[in-house]
């Protein structure tokens, strides 16, 4: 007697977002990235097509970042040159995209002008052929000015830009609409705010397939389970035809995982925790692999060794696609 | 899931003989459904009916207990947000009997050392899987005995050769090890051996269909202490099988799959193996057998396990008493936060990184974060002032400066008034603490 396996039938797929534009499309990318489009829960190929595999965008900053030595030592001097750094990420680490964070614009730091930042963006665009994700410095006022300028300077490139939040979304959504980019919509681990923000953005006229959801994950050991469940609920909602949840999801894995003590403390300080190098790699890796199981479409990562492991994990899980 | 009166009635003889003390079978069924009376009162209920009734009222996934407090199965949902996951994946590290005695001891020592403390929690490895690869039952028995003597953790005896299991099991049966595996070729002898010693046994077959057939055959031997192994050894297929088995057990109450499932990693390289294991811990494996045993490798996996098996409705809390970070003295800064574990440890981590020894007082907010607590009226100035006084921190420092979370800046005036301390508004996120301390 054959076992009647349960294969769910869903009414809807996750929306597909295209990031990047080739010359024919008005941009300068050599390839574009498509995310989303899933017709089932993560990696369950037996019940739905997973159109586009999860991609990894490696983080590059416009000024050298204050990251730990475990990661910095894997890059060396190239951290002083965003374009070279981005190139290294693509050529050596096979990053699918580059996630450029314009921390130099921070009023509490160098307070670089939008023009200076736009120059860095152009340099990075020239250095790599993969699509770009660009965000500001987390200062809402500065970012409104900054990202509007970046969006204009890169019109045609079909970037993914951020961040739109419930209390500050109009400027960036408008910039995305006018200059034809995609937007990261970020909500604080709250599925209702997530939906509300998507409604507000789409009411401004930005099509739903230009929105990527950032659920504001917590890293491994520091709240990852909250994001895990929010993302699972969002994915189930999307498959059940909730249009305001049917967007691909982006996760700040590199940032959150590396905030943890466990990703930074030397073995001498915590002998019970073992070797720091492997521990740090796995702290970022498992933050990513857990979230892959709940629908992460874009992983923003820092540690090249972790990137390699996650790429392997994705390949393994896409085997029966 | 309780049965209705009608469902129970269907299994009864329907003689209406009254010998159970109730005039009709339907009335008896209704009584049983509401928890009154016992099925045994009916002298005519058939074994098959009894079986069906037991089966229908049993939990979707059997609880299998073994070893030193290990519990497998007894799960009720597909998604933790539907309720919670109950029994954290049992993690076992494998040792092959083909290794030398010294290598075995070294590996065992490493496994015994897998005890971790982080964020006020303690994690321990659950047990050791002893793998028979020597082909020699006596060797297997000897190694099992050596390992049993060298650890108090749960044991899994793994061989498909019943002679090896027969040789090794008796001396450790009292420890109630899990044994495996019963396969199509050997299941009668292996399951009977398990039954004889009252230990649970892994039923292993290649794929769902074969597993179904084998479980049904094995059940006919009159034993049900089973753990399932669908035989796959690659991440994609294993994920699919774990999902199929869990879905059928939960959604259809499919009895042949109403047992916990064990997964085995296939990657040889430790970091890749842990990444693979994270998939199984996330998705439905009740037990995972690993090869990796280095602290740096196992700790992240145990953190993930603990995170996902946290009850969503029961936030982890820290004790709402005065904590100190580093070598504090009378000049040390004093921070106040909430007793939600995540909040507290985020603050503690940043304070530690600031390298300025400080006091931290978590206020009892029923384990909620700063914003949630404030919105719920659990983070009021009076309560904080009261906790401050009770904490005795006033005797420990010669200043009266209190750093509060930036998000509740609005209470600073009132708090200053009721506590008598000077209130300093700190950063809105714990990640701002280091910058904040530089500016202090």
């Amino acid at each position: 007697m054959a076992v009647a396996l349960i294969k769910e039938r869903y009414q809807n797929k996750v929306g597909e977002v295209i990031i990047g534009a080739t010359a024919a499309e008005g941009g300068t990318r050599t390839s574009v990235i498509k995310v989303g489009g899933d017709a089932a829960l993560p990696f369950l190929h037996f019940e739905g097509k997973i159109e586009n595999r999860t991609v990894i965008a490696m983080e590059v900053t416009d000024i050298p970042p204050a990251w730990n030595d475990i990661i910095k030592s894997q890059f060396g001097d190239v951290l002083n040159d965003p374009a070279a750094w981005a190139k290294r990420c693509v050529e050596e680490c096979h990053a699918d995209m580059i996630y450029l964070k314009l921390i130099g614009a921070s009023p509490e730091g160098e307070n670089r002008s939008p023009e200076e930042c736009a120059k860095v963006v152009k340099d990075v665009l020239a250095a790599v052929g993969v699509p770009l994700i660009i965000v500001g410095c987390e200062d809402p006022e500065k970012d409104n000015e900054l990202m509007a300028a970046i969006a204009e300077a890169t019109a045609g490139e079909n970037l993914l830009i951020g961040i739109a939040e419930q209390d500050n979304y109009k400027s960036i959504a408008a910039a995305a609409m006018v200059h034809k980019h995609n937007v990261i919509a970020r909500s604080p681990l709250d599925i209702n705010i997530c939906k509300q923000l998507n409604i507000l953005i789409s009411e401004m006229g930005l099509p739903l397939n230009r929105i990527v959801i950032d659920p504001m994950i917590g890293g491994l050991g520091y709240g990852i389970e909250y994001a895990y469940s929010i993302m699972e609920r969002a994915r189930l909602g999307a498959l059940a035809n909730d249009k305001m949840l049917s967007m691909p999801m982006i996760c700040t894995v590199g940032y959150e995982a590396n905030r943890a003590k466990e990703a930074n403390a030397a073995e001498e300080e915590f002998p019970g925790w073992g070797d720091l190098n492997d521990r740090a790699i796995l702290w970022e890796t498992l933050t990513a692999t857990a979230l892959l199981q709940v629908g992460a479409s874009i992983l923003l990562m820092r540690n090249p060794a972790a990137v390699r492991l996650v790429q392997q994990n994705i390949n393994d899980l896409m085997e029966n696609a | 899931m309780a049965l209705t009166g009608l469902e129970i009635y269907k299994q009864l003889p329907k003689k209406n003989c009254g010998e159970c003390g109730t005039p009709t079978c339907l009335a008896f069924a209704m009584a049983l459904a509401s928890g009154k009376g016992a099925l045994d009162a009916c002298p005519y209920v058939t074994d098959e009916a009894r079986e069906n009734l037991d089966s229908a009222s049993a939990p979707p996934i059997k609880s299998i207990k073994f070893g030193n407090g290990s519990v497998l199965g007894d799960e009720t949902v597909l998604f933790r947000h539907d309720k919670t996951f109950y029994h954290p994946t049992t993690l076992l590290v494998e040792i092959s009997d083909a290794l030398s005695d010294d290598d075995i001891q070294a590996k065992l020592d490493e496994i015994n050392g897998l005890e971790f403390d982080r964020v006020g929690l303690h994690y321990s490895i659950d047990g050791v899987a002893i793998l028979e690869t020597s082909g020699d039952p006596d060797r297997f028995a000897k190694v099992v005995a050596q390992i049993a003597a060298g650890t108090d953790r749960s044991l899994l005896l793994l061989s498909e050769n019943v002679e090896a299991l027969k040789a090794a099991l008796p001396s450790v049966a009292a420890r109630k090890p899990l044994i495996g595996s019963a396969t199509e070729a050997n299941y009668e002898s292996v399951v009977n051996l398990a039954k004889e010693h009252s230990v649970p046994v892994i039923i292993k077959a290649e794929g769902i269909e074969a597993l179904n057939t084998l479980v049904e055959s094995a059940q006919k031997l009159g034993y049900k202490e089973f753990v399932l192994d669908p035989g796959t050894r690659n991440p994609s297929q294993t994920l699919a099988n774990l999902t199929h088995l869990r879905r059928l057990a939960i959604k259809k109450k499919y009895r042949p799959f109403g047992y916990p499932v064990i997964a085995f990693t296939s990657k040889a390289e430790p970091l890749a193996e842990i990444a693979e294991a994270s998939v199984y811990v996330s998705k439905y494996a009740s037990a995972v057998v690993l090869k990796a045993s280095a602290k740096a490798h196992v700790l992240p996996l145990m953190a993930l396990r603990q995170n996902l098996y946290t009850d969503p409705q029961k936030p982890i809390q820290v004790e709402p008493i005065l904590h100190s970070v580093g070598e504090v003295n009378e000049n040390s800064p004093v921070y106040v936060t909430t007793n939600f574990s995540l909040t507290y440890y985020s603050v503690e981590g940043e304070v530690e990184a600031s390298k300025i020894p400080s006091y931290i007082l978590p206020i009892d907010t029923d384990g909620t974060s700063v914003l949630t607590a404030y919105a719920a009226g659990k983070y009021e100035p009076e309560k904080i002032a009261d906790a401050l006084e009770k904490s005795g921190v006033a005797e420990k420092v010669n200043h009266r400066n209190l750093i509060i979370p930036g998000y509740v800046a609005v209470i600073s005036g009132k708090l200053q008034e009721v506590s008598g301390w000077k209130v300093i508004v700190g950063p809105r996120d714990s990640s701002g603490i280091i910058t904040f301390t530089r500016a202090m």
Side-chain angles (χ1 to χ4, degrees):
Chain A
M1 186 198 66
V3 179
L5 298 174
I6 299 177
K7 295 186 185 178
E8 305 285 6
R9 294 268 165 272
Y10 298 109
Q11 301 170 35
N12 188 35
K13 295 199 277 193
V14 175
E16 190 178 76
V17 174
I18 303 174
I19 305 170
T22 58
E25 295 158 341
T28 59
R29 305 298 82 203
T30 53
S31 58
V32 305
I33 288 280
K34 292 187 187 171
V35 286
D38 312 57
L41 290 175
F43 308 111
L44 299 186
H45 309 288
F46 60 81
E47 68 187 11
K49 187 125 173 55
I50 293 157
E51 283 296 340
N52 305 305
R53 63 174 59 203
T54 299
V55 293
I56 298 175
M58 286 189 73
E59 188 172 342
V60 168
T61 50
D62 57 343
I63 59 173
W67 294 356
N68 61 34
D69 289 329
I70 295 286
I71 300 176
K72 291 205 297 193
S73 62
Q74 294 180 64
F75 287 107
D77 287 334
V78 88
L79 294 176
N80 297 312
D81 179 351
W85 181 1
K87 215 161 144 59
R88 170 90 69 89
C89 287
V90 174
E91 287 174 6
E92 287 183 29
C93 309
H94 309 291
D96 300 297
M97 289 199 276
I98 294 297
Y99 166 57
L100 179 59
K101 209 162 189 253
L102 299 169
I103 59 177
S106 174
E108 284 166 26
E110 287 189 24
N111 200 18
R112 288 182 167 192
S113 68
E115 293 69 41
E116 286 176 273
C117 294
K119 164 117 195 1
V120 173
V121 171
K122 293 273 188 190
D123 290 343
V124 173
L125 279 167
V128 298
V130 298
L132 254 53
I133 304 172
I134 306 186
V135 302
C137 60
E138 298 286 354
D139 178 286
E141 269 187 56
K142 181 64 183 275
D143 281 349
N144 284 343
E145 191 200 341
L146 172 64
M147 296 313 295
I150 299 297
E152 189 181 345
T154 57
E157 293 289 1
N158 193 31
L159 306 171
L160 174 60
I161 60 175
I163 312 278
E165 293 192 288
Q166 194 179 36
D167 295 333
N168 185 21
Y169 65 93
K170 292 190 177 148
S171 170
I172 197 154
M177 274 177 60
V178 171
H179 304 291
K180 299 211 171 22
H181 297 295
N182 304 286
V183 148
I184 298 174
R186 185 167 79 182
S187 49
L189 285 175
D190 185 318
I191 212 164
N192 295 315
I193 296 179
C194 169
K195 289 175 65 162
Q196 182 59 17
L197 179 56
N198 291 336
I199 292 170
L200 291 169
I201 293 173
S202 67
E203 277 175 354
M204 281 185 65
L206 194 70
L208 294 180
N209 69 352
R210 284 184 168 275
I211 300 173
V212 169
I213 290 171
D214 176 351
M216 280 188 89
I217 67 159
L220 175 67
Y222 293 91
I224 194 173
E225 65 271 26
Y226 292 90
Y228 190 90
S229 290
I230 295 263
M231 289 172 69
E232 257 191 332
R233 288 168 57 200
R235 172 57 71 89
L236 286 164
L239 294 169
N241 210 17
D242 187 333
K243 295 281 186 243
M244 288 306 153
L245 291 174
S246 297
M247 292 83 178
M249 294 185 278
I250 189 169
C251 300
T252 49
V253 170
Y255 171 61
E256 292 294 338
N258 289 292
R259 286 174 70 176
K261 207 192 292 194
E262 290 81 349
N264 294 282
E267 189 172 1
E268 292 72 53
E269 273 184 75
F270 289 90
W273 288 1
D275 165 66
L276 172 57
N277 192 62
D278 280 3
R279 186 180 355 118
I281 292 170
L282 283 176
W283 214 261
E284 188 173 336
T285 301
L286 259 53
T287 299
T289 57
L291 296 172
L292 280 169
Q293 290 303 316
V294 292
S297 308
I298 304 174
L299 298 166
L300 304 174
M301 298 186 66
R302 293 180 178 177
N303 188 325
V307 167
R308 214 169 304 129
L309 287 164
V310 177
Q311 283 164 338
Q312 181 65 62
N313 189 257
I314 295 170
N315 286 342
D316 289 340
L317 292 165
M318 290 300 286
E319 229 175 58
N320 292 305
Chain B
M1 190 179 71
L3 292 169
T4 64
L6 213 47
E7 283 166 338
I8 297 173
Y9 176 69
K10 284 186 188 147
Q11 301 293 337
L12 294 179
K14 304 181 196 68
K15 294 163 92 128
N16 294 333
C17 66
E19 287 176 45
C20 62
T22 315
T24 65
C25 292
L26 187 56
F28 181 58
M30 292 301 180
L32 282 179
S34 60
K36 297 189 182 68
L39 186 62
D40 290 332
C42 172
Y44 303 110
V45 70
T46 63
D47 283 340
E48 196 195 325
R50 187 180 293 279
E51 170 75 34
N52 290 341
L53 287 169
D54 275 344
S55 183
S57 61
I61 298 177
K62 198 167 200 295
S63 164
I64 298 287
K65 298 186 173 74
F66 78 101
N68 186 355
S70 298
V71 183
L72 307 172
D74 191 22
E75 299 293 344
T76 60
V77 294
L78 286 169
F79 305 107
R80 65 186 290 279
H81 62 256
D82 280 338
K83 179 73 180 145
T84 183
F85 289 152
Y86 290 100
H87 302 286
T89 309
T90 295
L91 296 174
L92 304 146
V93 181
E94 170 188 298
I95 301 182
S96 162
D97 71 342
L99 295 177
S100 71
D101 289 357
D102 284 343
D103 284 348
I104 287 171
Q105 193 55 50
K107 184 78 171 173
L108 186 60
D109 290 341
E110 201 172 54
I111 295 171
N112 281 333
L114 294 173
E115 301 264 358
F116 306 100
D117 289 296
R118 61 171 296 273
V119 298
L121 299 167
H122 188 81
Y123 305 153
S124 311
I125 195 73
D126 300 294
V128 184
I130 307 142
L131 180 63
E132 183 267 297
T133 46
S134 63
D136 178 355
D138 290 329
R139 173 71 187 153
F140 185 57
K142 180 169 176 295
V143 170
V144 166
Q146 176 190 349
I147 290 173
T151 185
D152 60 355
R153 319 270 175 157
S154 301
L155 302 172
L156 162 54
L157 274 49
L158 268 175
S159 175
E160 289 180 23
N161 177 357
V162 69
E163 296 310 317
L165 291 170
K166 277 185 177 154
L169 180 54
S171 69
V172 295
R175 296 264 294 261
K176 206 162 177 196
L178 171 62
I179 70 170
S181 305
T183 62
E184 203 198 309
N186 68 17
Y187 79 93
E188 283 179 38
S189 46
V190 173
V191 172
N192 282 324
L193 179 68
K195 186 175 172 191
E196 189 192 326
H197 293 278
S198 303
V199 297
V201 58
I202 298 174
I203 307 293
K204 177 185 172 189
E206 298 301 319
I208 299 282
E209 285 299 336
L211 188 59
N212 182 44
T213 307
L214 188 55
V215 171
E216 288 184 328
S217 305
Q219 282 178 160
K220 292 199 172 95
L221 297 172
Y223 198 54
K224 281 188 169 177
E225 296 295 305
F226 296 157
V227 176
L228 307 180
D229 174 2
T232 44
R233 297 290 184 262
N234 68 74
S236 182
Q237 206 55 56
T238 302
L239 173 63
N241 285 335
L242 287 166
T243 304
H244 286 310
L245 292 168
R246 177 65 67 100
R247 275 190 189 170
L248 281 164
I250 302 287
K251 295 188 99 171
K252 286 265 170 73
K253 274 207 122 180
Y254 189 67
R255 293 281 101 196
F257 294 155
Y259 300 99
V261 184
I262 186 167
F264 293 82
T265 56
S266 56
K267 301 283 180 187
E269 196 278 311
L271 301 185
E273 190 198 8
I274 296 292
E276 180 192 4
S278 74
V279 176
Y280 309 150
V281 167
S282 303
K283 286 285 162 184
Y284 311 137
S286 287
V288 175
V289 176
L290 302 170
K291 298 181 269 295
S293 54
K295 289 185 200 293
H297 301 159
V298 178
L299 172 61
L301 186 65
M302 299 193 85
L304 180 64
R305 176 182 77 166
Q306 180 256 313
N307 291 161
L308 298 182
Y309 279 81
T310 299
D311 185 332
Q313 294 178 320
K314 297 190 182 129
I316 301 181
Q317 305 180 27
V318 301
E319 261 205 279
I321 56 170
L322 189 65
H323 290 67
S324 63
V325 176
E327 304 273 317
V328 285
N329 59 40
E330 64 276 9
N331 300 312
S332 295
V334 179
Y335 293 83
V336 74
T337 183
T338 76
N339 78 331
F340 176 38
S341 174
L342 207 60
T343 302
Y344 175 78
Y345 282 104
S346 299
V347 171
E348 196 217 52
E350 296 291 333
V351 167
E352 202 165 334
S354 74
K355 304 268 187 273
I356 299 172
S358 310
Y359 288 100
I360 308 177
L361 179 63
I363 305 296
D364 185 352
T365 58
D366 296 323
T368 52
S369 64
V370 171
L371 282 177
T372 310
Y374 179 66
K378 294 180 184 177
Y379 211 59
E380 294 301 299
E382 290 80 7
K383 183 172 175 186
I384 298 172
D386 190 55
L388 199 56
E389 211 208 293
K390 292 203 166 77
S391 73
V393 67
E395 278 91 64
K396 300 196 156 76
V397 295
N398 59 17
H399 65 82
R400 290 291 176 265
N401 301 320
L402 184 65
I403 304 165
I404 67 169
Y407 273 123
V408 290
V410 63
I411 66 168
S412 53
K414 182 78 180 171
L415 180 57
Q416 201 155 292
E417 203 189 299
V418 300
S419 68
W421 284 58
K422 172 159 180 258
V423 171
I424 302 172
V425 176
R428 291 198 304 168
D429 189 74
S430 57
S431 60
I433 285 176
I434 295 180
T435 316
F436 171 78
T437 56
R438 305 280 171 264
M440 257 198 323

